[in-house]
Amino acid sequence: MTTYIVLLGPPGVGKGTQAKILSEKTGLAHISSGDLFRENLKNQTELGKLAQTYMTKGELVPDDVTIAMIRDRLSRPDCKEGAILDGFPRTPAQADALETMLKDFNGHVDVVPFVTADANVLIERLGGRWTCRANGHIFNEKSNPPKNEKVCDFDGSELYQRDDDKEETVKRRIEVYFDQTSPLISYYRDHGKLVEIDGTQSIDQVTQDLLTAVKK
Ligand code: AMP
């Protein structure tokens, strides 16, 4: 049996943080489309260079290349039991493509936790976000500070502020989310898969709610 979980929600709501915790607790692979693009960028692949032109503006990378990247990632052995998808799908075309590709892996989207918060909370969180270079662990200078400034608690690597966490780009990313990604809320609700979770709660409480949603 496979389990595929799609974490839905705006940028900055805590999907990345929660996906990592959920992955540890369930043993399912964590697939973050943003992390995959950033890895490609670090390695200066053609995909990374292409993605960068969109990412720096806060726009979405075109569907065809994004879908191909996720298909490739889902076909790796660590996704045999399923996966937690964080940041994908982000458009209705990506959601359709996901359904089609999961059939090839004998699965389907099981549950879609939708983590919510108001735009002002997101802007504040993204502005104070620090990300670990080695593994993408996420901290926040106010709500979840690292033990030592600019050092990851988990792997000791350097923490940095993402270029696209700058205020102007953040505003565009949130707009893009409302324009292009929010239609997925009704798409998954209509399919009976959506479970709404309040993303302004403590990290622990959000994790508890997610585990409850996933176990159902
Ligand atoms: P994230 O780390 O999820 O905030 O993603 C960072 C950036 O990567 C986004 O602003 C997009 O430019 C790009 N990106 C990530 N996931 C997708 C996706 N599913 N479709 C298109 N672009 C994406």
Side-chain angles (χ1 to χ4, degrees):
M1 212 182 75
T2 54
T3 307
Y4 294 99
I5 302 166
V6 168
L7 278 187
L8 196 61
V13 81
K15 295 190 301 296
T17 301
Q18 293 294 340
K20 280 195 189 301
I21 299 173
L22 217 54
S23 166
E24 274 164 25
K25 292 197 185 282
T26 60
L28 294 170
H30 169 205
I31 301 183
S32 156
S33 44
D35 282 354
L36 290 172
F37 284 131
R38 281 183 287 277
E39 204 177 291
N40 274 278
L41 191 60
K42 195 160 77 183
N43 298 330
Q44 283 292 294
T45 67
E46 287 308 310
L47 175 62
K49 288 182 210 164
L50 172 81
Q52 186 181 27
T53 60
Y54 297 92
M55 292 169 81
T56 51
K57 290 184 284 194
E59 304 291 338
L60 295 184
V61 180
D63 282 338
D64 54 349
V65 287
T66 304
I67 290 164
M69 175 180 78
I70 296 293
R71 173 181 277 283
D72 173 67
R73 180 67 188 84
L74 278 171
S75 64
R76 294 202 211 147
D78 64 325
C79 298
K80 213 168 63 232
E81 311 283 319
I84 300 161
L85 289 155
D86 156 20
F88 182 94
R90 252 179 165 94
T91 64
Q94 292 181 12
D96 288 340
L98 179 63
E99 284 303 322
T100 309
M101 70 177 95
L102 290 187
K103 277 189 195 134
D104 293 345
F105 301 122
N106 290 320
H108 55 264
V109 173
D110 291 276
V111 60
V112 182
F114 167 43
V115 192
T116 58
D118 287 342
N120 55 336
V121 175
L122 305 173
I123 292 170
E124 200 188 301
R125 281 198 191 164
L126 290 168
R129 176 157 82 175
W130 290 82
T131 305
C132 123
R133 277 217 195 273
N135 293 300
H137 293 111
I138 299 160
F139 298 86
N140 184 283
E141 54 196 30
K142 283 194 192 144
S143 57
N144 179 30
K147 290 194 184 86
N148 297 304
E149 208 178 316
K150 297 191 188 170
V151 180
C152 178
D153 289 0
F154 302 102
D155 56 36
S157 78
E158 183 202 8
L159 300 179
Y160 74 106
Q161 286 194 292
R162 277 169 47 177
D163 276 350
D164 59 349
D165 280 348
K166 287 196 205 101
E167 196 174 334
E168 269 167 44
T169 320
V170 160
K171 286 192 175 142
R172 181 65 195 139
R173 286 165 61 205
I174 292 172
E175 271 170 22
V176 165
Y177 166 79
F178 282 108
D179 286 351
Q180 302 188 49
T181 307
S182 67
L184 297 184
I185 300 166
S186 46
Y187 174 94
Y188 285 120
R189 186 179 284 130
D190 293 348
H191 286 72
K193 295 188 172 160
L194 202 79
V195 181
E196 218 165 307
I197 292 172
D198 176 3
T200 64
Q201 303 176 101
S202 68
I203 293 180
D204 282 351
Q205 189 56 54
V206 175
T207 304
Q208 287 311 314
D209 288 2
L210 279 167
L211 287 171
T212 307
V214 167
K215 278 178 191 144
K216 273 187 196 157

